[in-house]
Amino acid sequence: MRVGYIGLGKMGRNMVLRLLEQGVEVVAWNRTQDARMDEVVQAGGVKAESLEDLVGKLPAPRIVWLMLTAGETVDEYIDQLETLLAPGDLIIDGGNSFYKDTLDRNKRLSSKSIHFMDIGTSGGPSGARNGACLMIGGEKEDFEKVEELCKLAAAPGAYAHLGEVGAGHFAKMVHNGIEYGMMEAIAEGAMILDSSNFDFNLSQVMELYNKRSVVESRLVGWLQEAVAEDPKLQEYSSTIGHTGEGEWTIKTAKELNVDAPVIDKSFQVRVHSVHDPDNIRNRAVSAMRGKFGGHSVKKS
């Protein structure tokens, strides 16, 4: 199995390294030819000097996996690949694209008989390296062609074909909306504990919460790690990043006439955090984002 891979950021590089370990031949290209590419080549990957070179090194029908920042960058590379690929070739968008953009891209590519799939990828950089959770959208025939590839990229049992093109990114969008609400609730609980008269050790409480309680979760575990290292999370920014998925979830819910107050409020907290007084609640959300996603969340 040989696949082309474009984008060696935190997620992309780690997924490529995992695929190489699983015996997949990967032809990789990254805009910046730096140490990340060197690491991939040292692990057995094939370096592409250009997009033309990448396509030329793939057997037909070709499979090209994109792991890029959502938005114009994805369209930029799809526009270039359109002119290089042949009918029957397949492009996979593994990033956090908005599902409506995915539908538009599929329509455009279908007119050239180029196949398209969307794979929402969860688990952060560590998941990409050790086995991610893959939410897959696309035609059934295309999924059958790439199922083995998805199985190798995913943690055991952590992939599923959810429906036609767009279903994967839609499911990932909702996943991230849920994540917003969960992180906010955990952070609010941490702030209440910290504000009480009991002088709680937050690391101890979070560790306890994460041992067979109802709120046991990886998010609680990541917060426990953060407060163990920095009890008041003073090194973390109280301004919380928000990269699109939460807002997309809220807008989509409104289009569907679905009330989503928890996700909506948690998103608003992030938007307004730039104006909020510094507080441990917001720093806790930043800390969790840093732990699972490798986001830049420390104070400048």
Side-chain angles (χ1 to χ4, degrees), residues 16-243:
V16 167
L17 293 174
R18 176 175 174 82
L19 290 174
L20 290 169
E21 289 177 351
Q22 302 296 314
V24 178
E25 295 181 10
V26 179
V27 182
W29 188 85
N30 195 60
R31 190 196 300 266
T32 305
Q33 304 286 315
D34 55 15
R36 294 170 293 182
M37 179 63 78
D38 295 339
E39 184 180 7
V40 164
V41 171
Q42 290 171 6
V46 177
K47 178 180 178 179
E49 300 293 342
S50 64
L51 293 184
E52 293 85 352
D53 187 37
L54 180 141
V55 170
K57 288 177 176 175
L58 296 175
R62 302 167 186 86
I63 300 172
V64 180
W65 190 310
L66 309 180
M67 191 63 84
L68 302 167
T69 304
E72 293 180 359
T73 302
V74 177
D75 286 311
E76 175 188 340
Y77 283 96
I78 288 178
D79 288 346
Q80 294 181 65
L81 288 170
E82 268 189 83
T83 67
L84 300 172
L85 296 176
D89 291 343
L90 170 65
I91 298 174
I92 298 170
D93 180 2
N96 281 331
S97 292
F98 184 39
Y99 83 98
K100 288 186 178 180
D101 294 336
T102 298
L103 296 177
D104 290 341
R105 290 162 185 155
N106 180 58
K107 184 177 181 179
R108 187 167 84 242
L109 291 168
S110 293
S111 69
K112 303 286 184 67
S113 297
I114 296 172
H115 297 225
F116 190 55
M117 295 184 70
D118 50 302
I119 299 184
T121 306
S122 180
S126 64
R129 186 67 181 87
N130 301 303
C133 174
L134 304 180
M135 306 162 208
I136 305 167
E139 296 298 323
K140 182 179 179 182
E141 294 77 9
D142 289 330
F143 169 67
E144 290 171 349
K145 292 176 185 176
V146 301
E147 181 174 7
E148 185 60 25
L149 176 64
C150 293
K151 183 178 181 180
L152 294 173
Y159 73 93
H161 179 225
L162 301 178
E164 61 190 22
V165 173
H169 281 156
F170 192 99
K172 180 56 164 52
M173 174 188 71
V174 175
H175 163 282
N176 284 27
I178 293 169
E179 177 186 291
Y180 274 42
M182 292 176 66
M183 292 171 71
E184 178 63 21
I186 292 167
E188 289 174 9
M191 187 170 185
I192 295 168
L193 288 164
D194 186 67
S195 301
S196 77
N197 295 323
F198 288 102
D199 193 26
F200 285 113
N201 179 319
L202 281 183
S203 176
Q204 181 186 37
V205 176
M206 292 300 149
E207 184 176 14
L208 181 60
Y209 282 174
N210 225 28
K211 285 188 167 59
R212 307 305 298 157
S213 86
V214 173
V215 299
E216 179 183 11
S217 68
R218 297 174 75 190
L219 289 169
V220 170
W222 282 315
L223 182 56
Q224 187 276 324
E225 289 179 12
V227 293
E229 298 162 356
D230 180 2
K232 296 294 184 180
L233 303 176
Q234 295 290 358
E235 295 300 313
Y236 290 91
S237 174
S238 192
T239 298
I240 312 167
H242 47 94
T243 53

Side-chain angles (χ1 to χ4, degrees), residues 241-297:
H242 47 94
T243 53
E245 298 90 343
E247 184 175 12
W248 297 340
T249 307
I250 296 159
K251 288 182 177 179
T252 301
K254 290 178 180 177
E255 290 174 3
L256 298 172
N257 293 317
V258 174
D259 193 22
V262 172
I263 297 173
D264 194 354
K265 181 62 176 178
S266 63
F267 171 70
Q268 295 304 326
V269 169
R270 293 190 182 202
V271 171
H272 296 135
S273 65
V274 67
H275 306 296
D276 287 347
D278 184 66
N279 64 72
I280 195 170
R281 179 198 68 195
N282 290 1
R283 296 197 301 270
V285 176
S286 289
M288 285 183 275
R289 293 184 75 246
K291 285 293 181 181
F292 76 75
H295 301 287
S296 179
V297 294

